[in-house]
Amino acid sequence: MKIMAINGSPRRGQSRTGQILREVLSGARNEGAKTEYLEITGLDIQCCIGCDRCHHLGACAQKDDFNDLFAKMLSSDGIVLGSPVYIFQVTAQLKAFIDRLGHAIHCQRLLGKYGAVVATAGGTGQVETADYQESLLNRMGVQCVGRVACALDDGLIPEGADVMEQALELGRTLAAAIEEKREFPAQIETLSRLRNYFCMIMEKRKDRWDWEYRYWQEKGWL
């Protein structure tokens, strides 16, 4: 079992989001998972240029770290997304990565995987930001097991804080869900509705989005 965490904060060593994500991974390791922690600011992730080529190549055409990071997601059983709140939204650094996941959404490339999210705020917006990250994971096929969404005081989180206990438990829950192949009926229904919607889109754009159309055929979704 492999679980990875992606930290969207630009603050690296001063990142409270990173602290929480690492504690989530610690909880998962307690349940036997192998883990990997990544910071988006340590990677070269350029903005989407709207070229549309991913839909007929099956991968992004830009030459940076995006495809390698997405390959890590494909090889993981669990994915934890984390971001501080920047004006009721994820950071620009994480959003640049998200904006290049259109192909993954069209094809539910992460179907069968499990996820969790972390959102930290100095005041408000943590719920909206967590909702957004969960929605993103759902649209790629991921079932989410829970979240840590919190408002925090300035400075790094002290050892033993309640939020760290929540993070540890979230990691345990994520690992257990993967091990048990747990199902979340409401999320499965959402995935089914999205697939029905994109089925119509694929039929309309089968010539323009040829790789994705073939993927859908191979999956037996058309």
Side-chain angles (χ1 to χ4, degrees):
M1 180 197 316
K2 178 184 176 183
I3 296 174
M4 66 178 297
I6 302 173
N7 181 12
S9 174
R11 300 192 68 194
R12 297 199 176 186
Q14 297 300 310
S15 170
R16 294 169 298 178
T17 305
Q19 279 187 277
I20 295 171
L21 286 170
R22 287 191 290 269
E23 196 70 0
V24 173
L25 294 182
S26 179
R29 285 195 300 274
N30 290 344
E31 300 301 314
K34 295 180 180 179
T35 65
E36 183 173 11
Y37 171 79
L38 294 165
E39 293 182 336
I40 206 78
T41 52
L43 302 173
D44 176 20
I45 305 289
Q46 300 299 309
C47 294
C48 178
I49 59 174
C51 69
D52 218 27
R53 294 179 67 191
C54 61
H55 309 313
H56 69 86
L57 292 176
C60 183
Q62 293 195 66
K63 303 301 182 184
D64 59 12
D65 292 330
F66 172 84
N67 285 323
D68 288 342
L69 177 54
F70 186 63
K72 287 178 180 289
M73 296 172 78
L74 286 173
S75 67
S76 297
D77 303 294
I79 299 159
V80 191
L81 281 184
S83 179
V85 177
Y86 280 27
I87 317 299
F88 298 98
Q89 183 53 279
V90 298
T91 63
Q93 290 86 350
L94 184 56
K95 189 63 165 62
F97 174 69
I98 289 170
D99 285 348
R100 291 172 63 183
L101 291 169
H103 160 70
I105 290 171
H106 293 168
C107 294
Q108 294 187 351
R109 290 292 304 276
L110 302 184
L111 188 66
K113 301 184 186 303
Y114 291 83
V117 303
V118 171
T120 61
T124 61
Q126 67 271 20
V127 173
E128 294 91 337
T129 302
D131 287 345
Y132 174 76
Q133 291 181 102
E134 283 186 354
S135 178
L136 168 70
L137 289 174
N138 280 164
R139 287 176 177 273
M140 292 188 288
V142 177
Q143 293 185 79
C144 293
V145 308
R147 63 172 63 176
V148 174
C150 56
L152 299 167
D153 293 330
D154 291 341
L156 294 175
I157 304 167
E159 188 175 346
D162 289 345
V163 68
M164 299 301 270
E165 288 298 321
Q166 294 173 31
L168 199 67
E169 183 58 29
L170 181 58
R172 295 190 188 106
T173 299
L174 178 57
I178 295 168
E179 184 69 26
E180 299 164 9
K181 300 187 185 303
R182 197 173 298 171
E183 292 188 347
F184 298 83
Q187 295 184 57
I188 290 173
E189 176 60 27
T190 296
L191 295 177
S192 179
R193 288 198 305 270
L194 288 169
R195 195 174 305 134
N196 290 337
Y197 168 75
F198 277 112
C199 182
M200 295 187 294
I201 301 299
M202 288 297 154
E203 290 290 357
K204 288 180 179 179
R205 301 187 181 181
K206 60 185 178 183
D207 295 326
R208 179 177 166 190
W209 293 357
D210 50 318
W211 191 97
E212 294 183 351
Y213 187 78
R214 290 194 302 272
Y215 183 89
W216 274 67
Q217 286 180 314
E218 292 167 2
K219 290 291 185 180
W221 293 345
L222 293 171

